[in-house]
Coordinates of all heavy atoms in Angstrom, one line a residue:
M15 N -20.5 35.2 -15.7 CA -21.9 35.4 -15.3 C -22.8 34.4 -16.2 O -22.6 34.5 -17.4 CB -22.4 36.8 -15.4 CG -23.8 37.0 -14.9 SD -24.1 38.7 -14.6 CE -25.8 38.7 -14.7
T16 N -23.7 33.8 -15.7 CA -24.5 32.9 -16.5 C -25.8 33.6 -16.9 O -26.2 34.6 -16.3 CB -24.9 31.6 -15.7 OG1 -25.5 32.1 -14.5 CG2 -23.8 30.7 -15.4
L17 N -26.3 33.1 -18.0 CA -27.5 33.7 -18.5 C -28.8 33.2 -17.8 O -28.9 31.9 -17.7 CB -27.6 33.4 -20.0 CG -28.9 33.8 -20.8 CD1 -29.0 35.3 -20.9 CD2 -28.8 33.2 -22.2
L18 N -29.7 34.0 -17.4 CA -30.9 33.5 -16.8 C -31.9 33.3 -18.0 O -32.3 34.2 -18.7 CB -31.5 34.5 -15.9 CG -30.6 34.8 -14.7 CD1 -31.3 35.9 -13.8 CD2 -30.4 33.6 -13.9
Y19 N -32.3 32.0 -18.1 CA -33.2 31.7 -19.2 C -34.6 32.0 -18.7 O -35.0 31.8 -17.6 CB -33.1 30.2 -19.6 CG -31.8 29.8 -20.0 CD1 -30.9 29.1 -19.1 CD2 -31.3 30.1 -21.3 CE1 -29.6 28.8 -19.5 CE2 -30.0 29.7 -21.7 CZ -29.2 29.1 -20.8 OH -28.0 28.8 -21.2
E20 N -35.5 32.3 -19.7 CA -36.9 32.7 -19.3 C -37.8 31.9 -20.3 O -37.9 32.4 -21.5 CB -37.1 34.1 -19.3 CG -38.4 34.5 -18.6 CD -38.5 35.9 -18.2 OE1 -37.4 36.5 -17.9 OE2 -39.6 36.4 -18.2
H21 N -38.5 30.9 -19.9 CA -39.5 30.2 -20.7 C -38.8 29.9 -22.1 O -39.3 30.2 -23.1 CB -40.7 31.0 -20.9 CG -41.4 31.4 -19.6 ND1 -41.8 30.5 -18.7 CD2 -41.6 32.6 -19.1 CE1 -42.3 31.1 -17.7 NE2 -42.2 32.4 -17.9
H22 N -37.7 29.1 -22.1 CA -37.0 28.8 -23.3 C -37.2 27.4 -23.6 O -37.1 26.5 -22.8 CB -35.5 29.1 -23.1 CG -34.8 28.9 -24.4 ND1 -34.8 29.7 -25.5 CD2 -33.9 27.9 -24.7 CE1 -34.0 29.2 -26.4 NE2 -33.4 28.1 -25.9
C23 N -37.5 27.1 -24.9 CA -37.6 25.7 -25.4 C -36.9 25.6 -26.7 O -37.1 26.3 -27.6 CB -39.1 25.3 -25.5 SG -39.3 23.6 -25.9
E24 N -36.0 24.7 -26.8 CA -35.2 24.4 -28.0 C -35.5 23.1 -28.6 O -35.3 22.1 -27.9 CB -33.7 24.6 -27.6 CG -32.7 24.4 -28.8 CD -31.3 24.4 -28.3 OE1 -31.0 25.2 -27.3 OE2 -30.5 23.7 -28.8
L25 N -35.9 23.0 -29.9 CA -36.2 21.7 -30.5 C -34.9 20.9 -30.7 O -33.9 21.5 -31.0 CB -36.9 22.0 -31.8 CG -38.3 22.7 -31.7 CD1 -38.9 23.0 -33.1 CD2 -39.2 21.8 -30.9
V26 N -35.1 19.6 -30.7 CA -34.0 18.7 -30.8 C -34.2 17.8 -32.0 O -35.2 17.2 -32.2 CB -33.8 17.8 -29.5 CG1 -32.6 16.8 -29.7 CG2 -33.6 18.6 -28.3
A27 N -33.2 17.8 -32.9 CA -33.3 17.0 -34.1 C -32.6 15.6 -34.0 O -33.1 14.7 -34.7 CB -32.6 17.8 -35.3
T28 N -31.6 15.5 -33.1 CA -31.0 14.2 -33.0 C -31.2 13.7 -31.5 O -31.4 14.5 -30.6 CB -29.5 14.4 -33.2 OG1 -28.9 15.3 -32.3 CG2 -29.2 14.8 -34.6
P29 N -31.1 12.4 -31.3 CA -31.2 11.9 -30.0 C -30.1 12.5 -29.0 O -28.9 12.7 -29.5 CB -31.0 10.4 -30.1 CG -31.1 10.1 -31.6 CD -30.8 11.4 -32.3
L30 N -30.4 12.7 -27.8 CA -29.4 13.2 -26.9 C -28.6 12.1 -26.2 O -29.1 11.0 -26.0 CB -30.2 14.0 -25.8 CG -31.0 15.2 -26.2 CD1 -31.8 15.7 -25.1 CD2 -30.0 16.2 -26.7
P31 N -27.3 12.3 -26.1 CA -26.5 11.3 -25.4 C -26.8 11.3 -23.9 O -27.3 12.2 -23.3 CB -25.1 11.9 -25.6 CG -25.2 13.3 -25.8 CD -26.6 13.5 -26.4
P32 N -26.6 10.1 -23.3 CA -26.8 10.0 -21.8 C -25.9 10.9 -21.1 O -24.8 11.2 -21.5 CB -26.6 8.6 -21.5 CG -25.8 8.1 -22.6 CD -26.1 8.9 -23.8
V33 N -26.4 11.4 -19.9 CA -25.6 12.3 -19.0 C -24.6 11.4 -18.3 O -24.8 10.3 -17.8 CB -26.5 13.0 -18.0 CG1 -25.7 13.9 -17.1 CG2 -27.5 13.9 -18.8
D34 N -23.3 11.9 -18.2 CA -22.2 11.3 -17.5 C -22.5 11.1 -16.1 O -23.1 12.0 -15.4 CB -20.9 12.1 -17.7 CG -19.8 11.5 -17.0 OD1 -19.6 10.3 -17.1 OD2 -19.0 12.3 -16.4
P35 N -22.3 9.9 -15.4 CA -22.6 9.7 -14.0 C -22.0 10.8 -13.1 O -22.6 11.2 -12.1 CB -22.2 8.4 -13.7 CG -22.1 7.6 -15.0 CD -21.9 8.7 -16.1
D36 N -20.7 11.2 -13.4 CA -20.0 12.2 -12.6 C -20.7 13.5 -12.7 O -20.9 14.3 -11.7 CB -18.6 12.3 -13.0 CG -17.8 11.1 -12.6 OD1 -18.2 10.3 -11.7 OD2 -16.8 10.8 -13.3
A37 N -21.1 13.9 -13.9 CA -21.9 15.2 -14.1 C -23.2 15.1 -13.4 O -23.7 16.1 -12.8 CB -22.1 15.4 -15.6
L38 N -23.8 14.0 -13.4 CA -25.2 13.8 -12.7 C -25.0 14.0 -11.2 O -25.8 14.6 -10.5 CB -25.8 12.5 -13.0 CG -27.2 12.3 -12.7 CD1 -28.1 13.3 -13.3 CD2 -27.6 10.8 -13.0
A39 N -23.9 13.5 -10.7 CA -23.6 13.6 -9.2 C -23.4 15.1 -8.9 O -23.9 15.5 -7.8 CB -22.4 12.8 -8.8
E40 N -22.7 15.8 -9.7 CA -22.5 17.2 -9.5 C -23.8 18.0 -9.6 O -24.0 18.9 -8.8 CB -21.5 17.8 -10.5 CG -20.1 17.4 -10.3 CD -19.1 17.9 -11.4 OE1 -19.5 18.9 -12.0 OE2 -18.1 17.2 -11.6
M41 N -24.7 17.6 -10.5 CA -26.0 18.3 -10.6 C -26.8 18.1 -9.3 O -27.5 19.0 -8.8 CB -26.8 17.7 -11.8 CG -26.3 18.2 -13.1 SD -27.4 17.9 -14.5 CE -26.8 16.2 -14.9
Y42 N -26.8 16.8 -8.7 CA -27.4 16.6 -7.5 C -27.0 17.4 -6.4 O -27.7 17.9 -5.5 CB -27.3 15.1 -7.1 CG -28.0 14.1 -8.0 CD1 -27.6 12.8 -8.1 CD2 -29.1 14.5 -8.8 CE1 -28.3 11.9 -8.8 CE2 -29.8 13.6 -9.6 CZ -29.3 12.3 -9.6 OH -30.0 11.4 -10.4
V43 N -25.6 17.7 -6.3 CA -25.1 18.5 -5.2 C -25.6 20.0 -5.4 O -26.0 20.6 -4.4 CB -23.5 18.5 -5.3 CG1 -22.9 19.6 -4.4 CG2 -23.0 17.2 -5.0
V44 N -25.7 20.5 -6.6 CA -26.2 21.8 -6.8 C -27.7 21.9 -6.5 O -28.1 22.9 -5.8 CB -26.0 22.3 -8.3 CG1 -26.6 23.6 -8.5 CG2 -24.5 22.3 -8.6
I45 N -28.4 20.9 -6.8 CA -29.9 20.8 -6.4 C -30.1 20.8 -4.9 O -30.9 21.6 -4.4 CB -30.5 19.6 -7.1 CG1 -30.6 19.8 -8.6 CG2 -31.9 19.4 -6.5 CD1 -31.1 18.5 -9.4
Y46 N -29.3 20.0 -4.2 CA -29.5 19.9 -2.8 C -29.0 21.2 -2.1 O -29.6 21.7 -1.1 CB -28.7 18.7 -2.2 CG -29.4 17.4 -2.4 CD1 -28.7 16.4 -3.1 CD2 -30.6 17.2 -1.9 CE1 -29.3 15.2 -3.4 CE2 -31.3 16.0 -2.1 CZ -30.6 15.0 -2.8 OH -31.3 13.8 -3.0
D47 N -28.0 21.9 -2.7 CA -27.6 23.2 -2.1 C -28.6 24.2 -2.3 O -28.8 25.1 -1.5 CB -26.3 23.6 -2.8 CG -25.0 22.9 -2.3 OD1 -25.2 22.2 -1.2 OD2 -24.0 23.0 -2.9
S48 N -29.4 24.2 -3.5 CA -30.4 25.1 -3.8 C -31.6 24.9 -2.7 O -32.1 25.9 -2.3 CB -30.9 24.9 -5.2 OG -32.1 25.8 -5.4
V49 N -31.8 23.7 -2.4 CA -32.9 23.4 -1.3 C -32.4 24.0 0.0 O -33.2 24.7 0.7 CB -33.2 21.9 -1.3 CG1 -34.1 21.6 -0.1 CG2 -33.8 21.4 -2.6
R50 N -31.3 23.7 0.4 CA -30.8 24.0 1.7 C -30.5 25.5 1.9 O -30.8 26.1 2.9 CB -29.5 23.2 2.1 CG -29.7 21.8 2.4 CD -28.5 21.0 2.8 NE -27.3 21.2 2.0 CZ -26.2 21.7 2.4 NH1 -26.0 22.1 3.6 NH2 -25.2 21.9 1.5
K51 N -29.8 26.1 0.9 CA -29.4 27.5 1.0 C -30.3 28.5 0.3 O -30.0 29.6 0.3 CB -28.0 27.6 0.5 CG -27.0 26.7 1.2 CD -25.6 26.8 0.6 CE -24.7 25.8 1.3 NZ -23.4 25.7 0.7
D52 N -31.4 28.0 -0.4 CA -32.4 28.8 -1.0 C -31.8 29.8 -2.0 O -32.1 31.0 -2.0 CB -33.1 29.6 0.1 CG -34.5 30.0 -0.4 OD1 -35.1 29.3 -1.1 OD2 -34.9 31.2 0.0
Y53 N -31.0 29.3 -2.9 CA -30.5 30.1 -4.1 C -31.0 29.6 -5.4 O -31.3 28.4 -5.5 CB -29.0 30.4 -4.0 CG -28.1 29.2 -4.2 CD1 -28.0 28.6 -5.4 CD2 -27.5 28.5 -3.1 CE1 -27.1 27.5 -5.6 CE2 -26.7 27.4 -3.3 CZ -26.5 26.9 -4.6 OH -25.7 25.8 -4.7
A54 N -31.0 30.5 -6.4 CA -31.5 30.1 -7.7 C -30.5 29.3 -8.5 O -29.2 29.5 -8.3 CB -31.9 31.4 -8.4
I55 N -31.0 28.5 -9.4 CA -30.2 27.7 -10.3 C -30.8 27.7 -11.7 O -32.0 27.9 -11.8 CB -30.0 26.2 -9.8 CG1 -31.4 25.5 -9.7 CG2 -29.2 26.2 -8.5 CD1 -31.2 24.0 -9.3
N56 N -30.0 27.4 -12.7 CA -30.5 27.2 -14.0 C -30.6 25.7 -14.2 O -29.7 24.9 -13.9 CB -29.5 27.7 -15.1 CG -29.5 29.2 -15.2 OD1 -30.5 29.8 -15.0 ND2 -28.4 29.7 -15.6
V57 N -31.7 25.2 -14.8 CA -32.0 23.9 -15.0 C -32.4 23.6 -16.5 O -33.2 24.3 -17.0 CB -33.1 23.3 -14.1 CG1 -33.4 21.9 -14.3 CG2 -32.8 23.6 -12.6
S58 N -31.7 22.7 -17.1 CA -32.1 22.3 -18.5 C -32.6 20.8 -18.4 O -31.9 20.0 -17.8 CB -30.9 22.4 -19.4 OG -30.5 23.7 -19.5
W59 N -33.7 20.5 -19.1 CA -34.1 19.1 -19.1 C -34.8 18.9 -20.5 O -35.2 19.8 -21.2 CB -35.0 18.8 -18.0 CG -36.4 19.4 -18.0 CD1 -37.5 18.8 -18.4 CD2 -36.8 20.7 -17.5 NE1 -38.6 19.6 -18.2 CE2 -38.1 20.8 -17.7 CE3 -36.1 21.8 -17.0 CZ2 -38.8 22.0 -17.4 CZ3 -36.8 22.9 -16.8 CH2 -38.1 23.0 -16.9
H60 N -35.0 17.6 -20.8 CA -35.6 17.2 -22.1 C -37.0 16.8 -21.9 O -37.3 15.9 -21.1 CB -34.8 16.1 -22.7 CG -35.3 15.7 -24.0 ND1 -36.1 14.6 -24.2 CD2 -35.1 16.2 -25.2 CE1 -36.4 14.5 -25.5 NE2 -35.8 15.5 -26.1
E61 N -37.9 17.5 -22.5 CA -39.4 17.1 -22.6 C -39.6 16.7 -24.1 O -39.0 15.8 -24.6 CB -40.3 18.2 -22.2 CG -40.4 18.4 -20.7 CD -41.4 19.5 -20.3 OE1 -41.8 20.3 -21.2 OE2 -41.7 19.6 -19.1
D62 N -40.4 17.5 -24.8 CA -40.6 17.3 -26.2 C -39.4 18.1 -26.9 O -39.2 18.0 -28.1 CB -41.9 17.9 -26.7 CG -43.1 17.0 -26.1 OD1 -42.8 15.8 -25.8 OD2 -44.1 17.6 -25.9
C63 N -38.9 19.0 -26.1 CA -37.8 19.9 -26.6 C -36.9 20.0 -25.4 O -37.1 19.5 -24.3 CB -38.3 21.2 -27.0 SG -39.3 22.1 -25.8
I64 N -35.8 20.8 -25.5 CA -34.9 21.1 -24.4 C -35.4 22.3 -23.7 O -35.5 23.4 -24.2 CB -33.4 21.2 -24.8 CG1 -32.9 20.0 -25.4 CG2 -32.6 21.7 -23.6 CD1 -31.5 20.1 -25.9
R65 N -35.9 22.2 -22.5 CA -36.5 23.2 -21.7 C -35.4 23.8 -20.8 O -34.5 23.1 -20.3 CB -37.6 22.8 -20.8 CG -38.8 22.3 -21.5 CD -39.7 23.4 -22.0 NE -39.9 24.5 -21.1 CZ -41.0 24.6 -20.4 NH1 -42.0 23.7 -20.4 NH2 -41.2 25.6 -19.5
R66 N -35.3 25.1 -20.7 CA -34.4 25.8 -19.8 C -35.2 26.8 -18.9 O -35.9 27.7 -19.5 CB -33.3 26.6 -20.6 CG -32.4 25.7 -21.3 CD -31.3 26.4 -22.0 NE -30.4 25.6 -22.7 CZ -30.5 25.3 -23.9 NH1 -31.4 25.9 -24.7 NH2 -29.6 24.5 -24.5
E67 N -35.1 26.6 -17.6 CA -35.7 27.5 -16.7 C -34.8 27.8 -15.5 O -33.9 27.0 -15.3 CB -37.0 27.0 -16.2 CG -38.1 26.7 -17.2 CD -38.7 27.9 -17.9 OE1 -38.5 29.0 -17.4 OE2 -39.3 27.7 -18.9
W68 N -35.0 28.9 -14.8 CA -34.3 29.1 -13.6 C -35.2 29.3 -12.5 O -36.4 29.7 -12.6 CB -33.3 30.3 -13.7 CG -34.0 31.6 -13.9 CD1 -34.5 32.2 -15.0 CD2 -34.5 32.5 -12.8 NE1 -35.1 33.4 -14.8 CE2 -35.1 33.6 -13.5 CE3 -34.3 32.5 -11.5 CZ2 -35.6 34.6 -12.7 CZ3 -34.8 33.6 -10.7 CH2 -35.4 34.6 -11.3
G69 N -34.8 29.0 -11.2 CA -35.6 29.2 -10.1 C -34.9 28.5 -8.9 O -33.7 28.2 -9.0
V70 N -35.6 28.4 -7.8 CA -35.1 27.8 -6.5 C -35.8 26.5 -6.4 O -37.0 26.4 -6.6 CB -35.4 28.7 -5.3 CG1 -34.9 28.0 -4.0 CG2 -34.7 30.1 -5.5
V71 N -35.1 25.5 -6.0 CA -35.6 24.2 -5.8 C -36.3 24.2 -4.4 O -35.6 24.4 -3.4 CB -34.6 23.0 -5.9 CG1 -35.2 21.7 -5.6 CG2 -34.0 23.0 -7.3
K72 N -37.6 24.0 -4.3 CA -38.3 24.0 -3.1 C -38.7 22.6 -2.5 O -39.0 22.5 -1.4 CB -39.6 24.9 -3.2 CG -39.3 26.3 -3.4 CD -38.7 26.9 -2.2 CE -38.5 28.4 -2.3 NZ -38.0 29.0 -1.2
D73 N -38.7 21.7 -3.4 CA -39.1 20.3 -3.0 C -38.5 19.3 -3.9 O -38.2 19.5 -5.1 CB -40.6 20.2 -3.0 CG -41.1 18.9 -2.4 OD1 -40.4 18.3 -1.6 OD2 -42.3 18.6 -2.6
I74 N -38.2 18.1 -3.3 CA -37.7 17.0 -4.1 C -38.7 15.8 -3.8 O -38.8 15.4 -2.6 CB -36.3 16.6 -3.7 CG1 -35.4 17.7 -4.0 CG2 -35.9 15.3 -4.5 CD1 -33.9 17.5 -3.4
D75 N -39.4 15.4 -4.8 CA -40.3 14.2 -4.6 C -39.6 13.0 -5.0 O -39.4 12.7 -6.2 CB -41.6 14.5 -5.4 CG -42.7 13.5 -5.1 OD1 -42.4 12.4 -4.7 OD2 -43.9 13.9 -5.4
R76 N -39.3 12.2 -4.0 CA -38.5 10.9 -4.3 C -39.4 9.8 -4.8 O -38.9 8.9 -5.4 CB -37.8 10.5 -3.1 CG -36.8 11.5 -2.6 CD -36.0 11.0 -1.4 NE -35.3 12.1 -0.7 CZ -34.1 12.4 -1.1 NH1 -33.5 11.8 -2.1 NH2 -33.5 13.4 -0.5
I77 N -40.7 9.9 -4.6 CA -41.7 8.9 -5.1 C -41.7 8.9 -6.6 O -41.7 7.9 -7.3 CB -43.0 9.0 -4.4 CG1 -42.9 8.8 -2.9 CG2 -44.1 8.1 -5.0 CD1 -44.1 9.1 -2.1
V78 N -42.0 10.2 -7.2 CA -42.2 10.3 -8.6 C -40.8 10.7 -9.2 O -40.8 10.9 -10.5 CB -43.3 11.2 -9.0 CG1 -44.6 10.6 -8.6 CG2 -43.1 12.6 -8.4
N79 N -39.8 11.0 -8.4 CA -38.5 11.3 -8.9 C -38.4 12.6 -9.7 O -38.0 12.7 -10.8 CB -37.9 10.1 -9.7 CG -36.4 10.1 -9.7 OD1 -35.8 10.6 -8.7 ND2 -35.7 9.4 -10.6
K80 N -38.9 13.7 -9.0 CA -39.0 15.0 -9.6 C -38.6 16.1 -8.6 O -38.7 15.9 -7.4 CB -40.4 15.3 -10.1 CG -40.9 14.5 -11.3 CD -42.2 14.9 -11.8 CE -42.7 14.1 -12.9 NZ -44.0 14.6 -13.5
I81 N -38.1 17.2 -9.2 CA -37.8 18.4 -8.3 C -38.8 19.5 -8.6 O -39.2 19.6 -9.8 CB -36.3 18.8 -8.5 CG1 -36.1 19.3 -9.9 CG2 -35.3 17.8 -8.1 CD1 -34.7 19.9 -10.1
K82 N -39.1 20.3 -7.7 CA -40.0 21.4 -7.8 C -39.2 22.7 -8.0 O -38.6 23.1 -7.0 CB -41.0 21.5 -6.6 CG -42.0 22.6 -6.7 CD -42.9 22.5 -5.6 CE -44.0 23.6 -5.6 NZ -44.9 23.5 -4.4
L83 N -39.2 23.2 -9.1 CA -38.4 24.5 -9.4 C -39.4 25.6 -9.4 O -40.4 25.7 -10.1 CB -37.8 24.4 -10.8 CG -36.8 25.4 -11.2 CD1 -35.6 25.4 -10.3 CD2 -36.4 25.3 -12.7
V84 N -39.1 26.6 -8.5 CA -40.1 27.7 -8.2 C -39.5 29.0 -8.6 O -38.3 29.3 -8.2 CB -40.6 27.6 -6.7 CG1 -41.5 28.8 -6.4 CG2 -41.2 26.3 -6.4
R85 N -40.3 29.9 -9.2 CA -40.0 31.3 -9.4 C -41.2 32.1 -9.3 O -42.3 31.5 -9.2 CB -39.5 31.3 -10.9 CG -38.7 32.6 -11.2 CD -38.0 32.5 -12.5 NE -38.9 32.4 -13.7 CZ -38.7 31.8 -14.8 NH1 -37.5 31.3 -15.0 NH2 -39.5 31.8 -15.8
V86 N -41.1 33.4 -9.2 CA -42.3 34.2 -8.9 C -43.4 34.0 -10.0 O -44.6 33.9 -9.7 CB -41.9 35.7 -8.9 CG1 -43.1 36.6 -8.8 CG2 -41.0 36.0 -7.7
D87 N -43.0 33.8 -11.2 CA -43.9 33.7 -12.3 C -44.2 32.3 -12.8 O -44.8 32.0 -13.9 CB -43.5 34.5 -13.5 CG -42.1 34.1 -14.1 OD1 -41.4 33.4 -13.4 OD2 -41.8 34.4 -15.3
G88 N -43.7 31.3 -12.0 CA -44.1 29.9 -12.5 C -43.5 28.8 -11.5 O -42.6 29.1 -10.7
V89 N -44.0 27.6 -11.7 CA -43.6 26.4 -11.0 C -43.5 25.3 -12.0 O -44.3 25.1 -12.8 CB -44.6 26.0 -9.9 CG1 -44.1 24.7 -9.2 CG2 -44.7 27.1 -8.9
W90 N -42.3 24.5 -11.9 CA -42.1 23.4 -12.8 C -41.7 22.2 -12.0 O -40.9 22.3 -11.1 CB -41.0 23.7 -13.8 CG -41.3 24.9 -14.7 CD1 -41.9 24.8 -15.9 CD2 -41.1 26.2 -14.4 NE1 -42.1 26.1 -16.4 CE2 -41.5 27.0 -15.5 CE3 -40.5 26.9 -13.4 CZ2 -41.5 28.4 -15.6 CZ3 -40.4 28.3 -13.4 CH2 -40.9 29.0 -14.5
W91 N -42.3 21.0 -12.3 CA -41.9 19.7 -11.7 C -41.0 19.1 -12.8 O -41.5 18.7 -13.8 CB -43.1 18.9 -11.4 CG -43.8 19.3 -10.1 CD1 -44.8 20.1 -10.0 CD2 -43.3 18.9 -8.8 NE1 -45.1 20.2 -8.6 CE2 -44.2 19.5 -7.9 CE3 -42.3 18.1 -8.3 CZ2 -44.1 19.4 -6.5 CZ3 -42.1 18.0 -6.9 CH2 -43.0 18.6 -6.1
V92 N -39.8 19.1 -12.5 CA -38.7 18.6 -13.5 C -38.4 17.1 -13.2 O -37.9 16.8 -12.1 CB -37.5 19.5 -13.4 CG1 -36.4 19.0 -14.4 CG2 -37.8 20.9 -13.6
P93 N -38.6 16.2 -14.1 CA -38.1 14.8 -13.9 C -36.6 14.7 -13.8 O -35.9 15.2 -14.7 CB -38.6 14.1 -15.2 CG -39.5 15.1 -15.9 CD -39.2 16.4 -15.4
V94 N -36.1 14.1 -12.7 CA -34.7 13.9 -12.5 C -34.0 13.2 -13.6 O -32.9 13.5 -14.0 CB -34.4 13.3 -11.1 CG1 -33.0 13.0 -10.9 CG2 -35.0 14.3 -10.0
E95 N -34.7 12.1 -14.1 CA -34.1 11.3 -15.2 C -33.9 12.0 -16.5 O -33.2 11.5 -17.4 CB -34.8 10.0 -15.4 CG -36.2 10.1 -15.9 CD -37.3 10.3 -14.8 OE1 -36.9 10.4 -13.6 OE2 -38.4 10.5 -15.1
K96 N -34.5 13.2 -16.7 CA -34.5 13.9 -17.9 C -33.6 15.2 -17.8 O -33.5 16.0 -18.7 CB -35.8 14.3 -18.4 CG -36.7 13.1 -18.7 CD -37.9 13.4 -19.5 CE -38.6 12.2 -19.8 NZ -39.4 12.2 -21.0
L97 N -32.9 15.3 -16.7 CA -32.0 16.4 -16.5 C -30.8 16.4 -17.4 O -30.3 15.3 -17.7 CB -31.4 16.4 -15.1 CG -32.3 16.9 -13.9 CD1 -31.6 16.7 -12.6 CD2 -32.8 18.3 -14.1
L98 N -30.5 17.5 -18.0 CA -29.4 17.7 -18.9 C -28.2 18.5 -18.3 O -27.1 18.2 -18.5 CB -29.8 18.3 -20.2 CG -30.8 17.5 -21.0 CD1 -31.3 18.3 -22.2 CD2 -30.3 16.2 -21.4
R99 N -28.7 19.6 -17.6 CA -27.7 20.5 -17.0 C -28.3 21.3 -15.9 O -29.4 21.7 -15.9 CB -27.2 21.5 -18.1 CG -26.1 22.3 -17.7 CD -25.7 23.2 -18.9 NE -24.4 23.7 -18.6 CZ -23.6 24.4 -19.4 NH1 -24.1 24.5 -20.7 NH2 -22.5 24.8 -19.1
V100 N -27.5 21.4 -14.8 CA -27.9 22.2 -13.7 C -26.7 23.0 -13.3 O -25.5 22.6 -13.2 CB -28.3 21.3 -12.4 CG1 -28.6 22.1 -11.2 CG2 -29.5 20.4 -12.8
E101 N -26.9 24.4 -13.1 CA -25.8 25.3 -12.8 C -26.2 26.4 -11.8 O -27.4 26.8 -11.9 CB -25.1 25.8 -14.0 CG -26.1 26.6 -14.9 CD -25.5 26.9 -16.3 OE1 -24.4 26.5 -16.6 OE2 -26.2 27.6 -17.0
R102 N -25.3 26.8 -11.0 CA -25.6 27.9 -10.1 C -25.8 29.2 -10.9 O -25.1 29.4 -11.9 CB -24.5 28.0 -9.0 CG -24.4 26.9 -8.1 CD -23.3 27.0 -7.2 NE -23.3 26.0 -6.1 CZ -22.7 24.9 -6.2 NH1 -21.9 24.6 -7.3 NH2 -22.7 24.0 -5.3
V103 N -26.6 30.1 -10.4 CA -26.8 31.4 -11.0 C -25.9 32.3 -10.4 O -25.6 32.4 -9.3 CB -28.3 31.9 -10.8 CG1 -28.4 33.3 -11.4 CG2 -29.2 30.9 -11.5

């Protein structure tokens, strides 16, 4: 069982390595499944820190390259190029 993160931010001391293209392709599949099947996912991305939130992806904006992660208590527009990890809940 995976942990549901709630408003979590972890400071980063060292630069993050780039995400493997195969891992990125798997993340895209999970994101598209969340949109189509309306189930929650955990998403980690890098802002000023590593943010972790969970929710359902309700929209994908291809113009600004962001996904809209929605939960009852919040909405986050997550930049796709800053994704670190996406996993099913």
Side-chain angles (χ1 to χ4, degrees):
M15 183 165 161
T16 54
L17 176 66
L18 296 178
Y19 301 102
E20 192 162 334
H21 304 300
H22 182 74
C23 187
E24 178 183 327
L25 297 176
V26 179
T28 60
L30 297 170
V33 177
D34 178 44
D36 292 334
L38 193 59
E40 289 177 23
M41 287 191 273
Y42 290 158
V43 169
V44 173
I45 289 168
Y46 284 119
D47 284 348
S48 177
V49 172
R50 287 185 310 122
K51 299 176 183 174
D52 201 38
Y53 64 78
I55 59 175
N56 286 330
V57 179
S58 299
W59 72 97
H60 183 259
E61 280 182 349
D62 298 330
C63 57
I64 296 176
R65 295 285 310 264
R66 291 186 181 98
E67 300 292 346
W68 67 273
V70 177
V71 178
K72 292 294 185 178
D73 190 16
I74 300 172
D75 189 336
R76 296 181 195 277
I77 296 169
V78 293
N79 210 20
K80 292 183 179 183
I81 61 172
K82 183 179 183 181
L83 189 66
V84 177
R85 196 169 65 207
V86 173
D87 62 339
V89 175
W90 298 268
W91 280 98
V92 180
V94 173
E95 66 273 358
K96 297 195 178 209
L97 286 174
L98 300 174
R99 186 175 198 172
V100 176
E101 55 192 4
R102 292 177 174 93
V103 174

